[in-house]
PDB file of all heavy atoms in Angstrom:
ATOM      1  N   SER A  90      -4.367  49.893  38.085  1.00  0.00           N
ATOM      2  CA  SER A  90      -5.382  49.057  37.499  1.00  0.00           C
ATOM      3  C   SER A  90      -5.624  49.553  36.026  1.00  0.00           C
ATOM      4  O   SER A  90      -6.467  48.888  35.355  1.00  0.00           O
ATOM      5  CB  SER A  90      -6.686  49.168  38.298  1.00  0.00           C
ATOM      6  OG  SER A  90      -7.654  48.257  37.737  1.00  0.00           O
ATOM      7  N   THR A  94      -7.966  47.866  32.120  1.00  0.00           N
ATOM      8  CA  THR A  94      -8.790  48.470  31.094  1.00  0.00           C
ATOM      9  C   THR A  94      -8.412  47.849  29.761  1.00  0.00           C
ATOM     10  O   THR A  94      -9.290  47.477  28.948  1.00  0.00           O
ATOM     11  CB  THR A  94      -8.647  49.981  31.103  1.00  0.00           C
ATOM     12  OG1 THR A  94      -8.842  50.488  32.393  1.00  0.00           O
ATOM     13  CG2 THR A  94      -9.629  50.609  30.124  1.00  0.00           C
ATOM     14  N   GLU A 168       8.137  33.362  48.887  1.00  0.00           N
ATOM     15  CA  GLU A 168       9.323  33.425  48.017  1.00  0.00           C
ATOM     16  C   GLU A 168      10.340  32.290  48.372  1.00  0.00           C
ATOM     17  O   GLU A 168      10.967  31.735  47.482  1.00  0.00           O
ATOM     18  CB  GLU A 168      10.015  34.773  48.178  1.00  0.00           C
ATOM     19  CG  GLU A 168       9.657  35.711  47.044  1.00  0.00           C
ATOM     20  CD  GLU A 168       9.178  37.063  47.504  1.00  0.00           C
ATOM     21  OE1 GLU A 168       9.945  37.801  48.113  1.00  0.00           O
ATOM     22  OE2 GLU A 168       7.974  37.450  47.108  1.00  0.00           O
ATOM     23  N   ASP A 173       7.268  32.970  43.535  1.00  0.00           N
ATOM     24  CA  ASP A 173       7.478  34.063  42.551  1.00  0.00           C
ATOM     25  C   ASP A 173       8.048  33.472  41.275  1.00  0.00           C
ATOM     26  O   ASP A 173       7.714  33.969  40.179  1.00  0.00           O
ATOM     27  CB  ASP A 173       8.323  35.191  43.147  1.00  0.00           C
ATOM     28  CG  ASP A 173       9.639  34.671  43.742  1.00  0.00           C
ATOM     29  OD1 ASP A 173       9.819  33.457  43.878  1.00  0.00           O
ATOM     30  OD2 ASP A 173      10.500  35.531  44.067  1.00  0.00           O
TER      31      ASP A 173
ATOM     32  N   THR B  17     -12.249  50.987  36.251  1.00  0.00           N
ATOM     33  CA  THR B  17     -11.163  50.801  35.221  1.00  0.00           C
ATOM     34  C   THR B  17     -11.382  49.493  34.451  1.00  0.00           C
ATOM     35  O   THR B  17     -11.075  49.395  33.309  1.00  0.00           O
ATOM     36  CB  THR B  17      -9.752  50.753  35.817  1.00  0.00           C
ATOM     37  OG1 THR B  17      -9.643  49.621  36.714  1.00  0.00           O
ATOM     38  CG2 THR B  17      -9.387  52.070  36.576  1.00  0.00           C
ATOM     39  N   LYS B  18     -11.918  48.477  35.202  1.00  0.00           N
ATOM     40  CA  LYS B  18     -12.187  47.198  34.506  1.00  0.00           C
ATOM     41  C   LYS B  18     -13.381  47.279  33.582  1.00  0.00           C
ATOM     42  O   LYS B  18     -13.360  46.851  32.438  1.00  0.00           O
ATOM     43  CB  LYS B  18     -12.353  46.143  35.573  1.00  0.00           C
ATOM     44  CG  LYS B  18     -11.139  45.825  36.460  1.00  0.00           C
ATOM     45  CD  LYS B  18     -11.532  44.839  37.581  1.00  0.00           C
ATOM     46  CE  LYS B  18     -10.334  44.409  38.385  1.00  0.00           C
ATOM     47  NZ  LYS B  18     -10.777  43.535  39.491  1.00  0.00           N
ATOM     48  N   TYR B  22     -15.013  47.149  28.781  1.00  0.00           N
ATOM     49  CA  TYR B  22     -16.115  46.391  28.230  1.00  0.00           C
ATOM     50  C   TYR B  22     -17.127  47.348  27.592  1.00  0.00           C
ATOM     51  O   TYR B  22     -18.064  46.896  26.922  1.00  0.00           O
ATOM     52  CB  TYR B  22     -16.793  45.544  29.262  1.00  0.00           C
ATOM     53  CG  TYR B  22     -15.984  44.376  29.672  1.00  0.00           C
ATOM     54  CD1 TYR B  22     -15.142  44.422  30.810  1.00  0.00           C
ATOM     55  CD2 TYR B  22     -16.032  43.227  28.951  1.00  0.00           C
ATOM     56  CE1 TYR B  22     -14.388  43.331  31.188  1.00  0.00           C
ATOM     57  CE2 TYR B  22     -15.230  42.108  29.289  1.00  0.00           C
ATOM     58  CZ  TYR B  22     -14.404  42.171  30.434  1.00  0.00           C
ATOM     59  OH  TYR B  22     -13.687  41.097  30.766  1.00  0.00           O
ATOM     60  N   ARG B  98      17.585  29.961  45.836  1.00  0.00           N
ATOM     61  CA  ARG B  98      17.564  30.653  47.150  1.00  0.00           C
ATOM     62  C   ARG B  98      18.143  29.760  48.213  1.00  0.00           C
ATOM     63  O   ARG B  98      18.888  30.193  49.084  1.00  0.00           O
ATOM     64  CB  ARG B  98      16.134  31.053  47.499  1.00  0.00           C
ATOM     65  CG  ARG B  98      15.732  32.232  46.645  1.00  0.00           C
ATOM     66  CD  ARG B  98      14.692  33.093  47.357  1.00  0.00           C
ATOM     67  NE  ARG B  98      14.268  34.118  46.481  1.00  0.00           N
ATOM     68  CZ  ARG B  98      13.231  34.022  45.647  1.00  0.00           C
ATOM     69  NH1 ARG B  98      12.527  32.940  45.669  1.00  0.00           N
ATOM     70  NH2 ARG B  98      13.000  34.989  44.793  1.00  0.00           N
TER      71      ARG B  98
END
Side-chain angles (χ1 to χ4, degrees):
Chain A
S90 185
T94 308
E168 263 130 59
D173 53 350
Chain B
T17 62
K18 296 173 173 179
Y22 288 96
R98 287 210 182 91

